[in-house]
């Protein structure tokens, strides 16, 4: 009887802890949705459910600024960053994970170390590079700068996965006369599916949410990405910010990320755990 009671108490404590974690993580987004459906003095209401939803906030976001263009800019930058990062990372992972050469380990740690620098530390150097290339106020400047923090991560993760692939597959392909490009694209990449999805999605989220480079390297409204566009939503004064519009814009740009994560959640879990089998 005592053992059964302890088991019941332990299970109740576990579910209570899970409920607290879920509430802690989900409630801010839920409150953003509730706030986006309020206007005027209703924004200061503490009711958990809006009695008179104000969908006008969502209409105003697109009517008062080129928010659809901002979303398209973020989508272009995020997709291009992921595509270029994965293409370079797969090639680098093959070299670092399958080819033995002197200095391979220091090079790998150097690549990882690049991602440890804060953005503000490399901002001035990136600005000079962007200006020298004539890419200021151009979306390609964001794609180039975002690879500073997406490429090291993707290279590191894909290298770990590449090392775990059986050598027999590569040897059989070499016997059949396959070149390195064929081995990478036809043999390894289908097996790297979970890792590619995991790293690609995390790189997409990082590029989608990035603010500092997007604020620095873009100037006009039609070239801004959604984080900058939301930050620059303003009212008549600092005390009259359109919080309903801001919350509506935040919900609009967050929902696609949630859908992507829910759609690829199994691949993400398998991608994060498959490379951790061996030390």
């Amino acid at each position: 009887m005592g053992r059964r009671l302890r088991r019941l108490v332990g299970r109740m404590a576990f579910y209570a802890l899970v409920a607290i974690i879920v509430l802690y993580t989900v409630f801010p987004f839920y409150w953003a949705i509730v706030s986006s459906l309020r206007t005027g003095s209703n924004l200061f209401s503490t009711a958990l459910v809006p009695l008179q939803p104000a969908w006008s906030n969502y209409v105003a976001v697109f009517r008062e600024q080129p928010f659809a263009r901002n979303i398209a800019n973020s989508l272009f930058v995020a997709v291009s960053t992921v595509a270029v990062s994965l293409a370079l990372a797969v090639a680098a992972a093959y070299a670092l994970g399958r080819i033995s050469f002197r200095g391979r380990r220091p090079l790998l740690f150097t690549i990882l170390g690049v991602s440890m620098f804060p953005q503000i530390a490399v901002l001035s150097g990136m600005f000079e590079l962007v200006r020298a290339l004539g890419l200021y106020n151009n979306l390609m400047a964001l794609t180039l700068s975002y690879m500073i923090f997406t490429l090291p991560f993707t290279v590191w993760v894909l290298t770990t996965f590449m090392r775990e692939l059986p050598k027999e597959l590569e040897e059989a392909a070499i016997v059949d006369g396959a070149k390195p490009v064929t081995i990478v694209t036809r043999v390894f990449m289908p097996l790297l599916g979970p890792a590619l999805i995991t790293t690609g999605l995390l790189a997409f989220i990082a590029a989608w949410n990035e603010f500092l480079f997007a604020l620095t390297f873009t100037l006009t409204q039609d070239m801004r990405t959604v984080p900058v566009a939301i930050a620059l939503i303003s009212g008549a004064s600092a005390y009259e910010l359109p919080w309903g519009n801001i919350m509506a814009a935040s919900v609009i740009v967050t929902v696609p990320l949630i859908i992507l994560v829910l759609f690829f959640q199994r691949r993400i879990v398998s991608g994060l755990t498959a490379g951790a089998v061996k030390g």
Side-chain angles (χ1 to χ4, degrees), residues 79 81-94 150-151 153-162 165 183-205 264 266-275:
V79 171
T81 300
V82 171
V84 176
S85 296
L86 289 182
L88 295 176
V90 168
Y94 177 74
T150 60
L151 192 56
F153 168 75
T154 53
V155 169
W156 182 269
V157 174
L158 292 180
T159 298
T160 303
F161 275 84
M162 195 74 75
L165 297 179
I183 295 175
V184 172
T185 56
R186 299 292 183 86
V187 179
F188 287 157
M189 286 190 66
L191 300 176
L192 290 173
L196 292 173
I197 291 176
T198 301
T199 54
L201 183 57
L202 294 178
F204 183 92
I205 294 174
F264 292 110
R266 292 187 178 180
R267 293 293 188 94
I268 294 173
V269 173
S270 61
L272 291 174
T273 57

Side-chain angles (χ1 to χ4, degrees), residues 59-137:
V59 177
V61 168
F62 292 95
R63 184 181 64 242
E64 297 175 1
Q65 58 195 20
F67 199 68
R69 177 64 182 270
N70 300 140
I71 294 176
N73 292 342
S74 287
L75 185 62
F76 172 80
V77 172
V79 171
S80 61
T81 300
V82 171
V84 176
S85 296
L86 289 182
L88 295 176
V90 168
Y94 177 74
L96 294 170
R98 313 297 295 191
I99 302 175
S100 298
F101 57 90
R102 182 176 299 179
R104 181 177 61 173
R105 184 176 294 273
L107 178 60
L108 187 59
F109 280 101
T110 300
I111 294 174
L112 181 63
V114 172
S115 62
M116 299 180 183
F117 288 94
Q119 285 183 278
I120 193 66
V122 299
L123 182 61
S124 60
M126 283 301 306
F127 180 81
E128 293 296 331
L129 177 61
V130 167
R131 189 174 64 173
L133 295 175
L135 296 177
Y136 185 70
N137 199 37

Side-chain angles (χ1 to χ4, degrees), residues 220-234:
T220 58
Q221 183 73 1
D222 61 330
M223 283 294 172
R224 288 173 179 146
T225 56
V226 284
V228 180
I230 293 174
L232 296 181
I233 295 177
S234 60

Side-chain angles (χ1 to χ4, degrees), residues 50 61 75 149 171 219 239 270 277:
V61 168
L75 185 62
F149 54 83
E171 293 172 353
L219 181 63
Y239 299 98
S270 61
V277 177

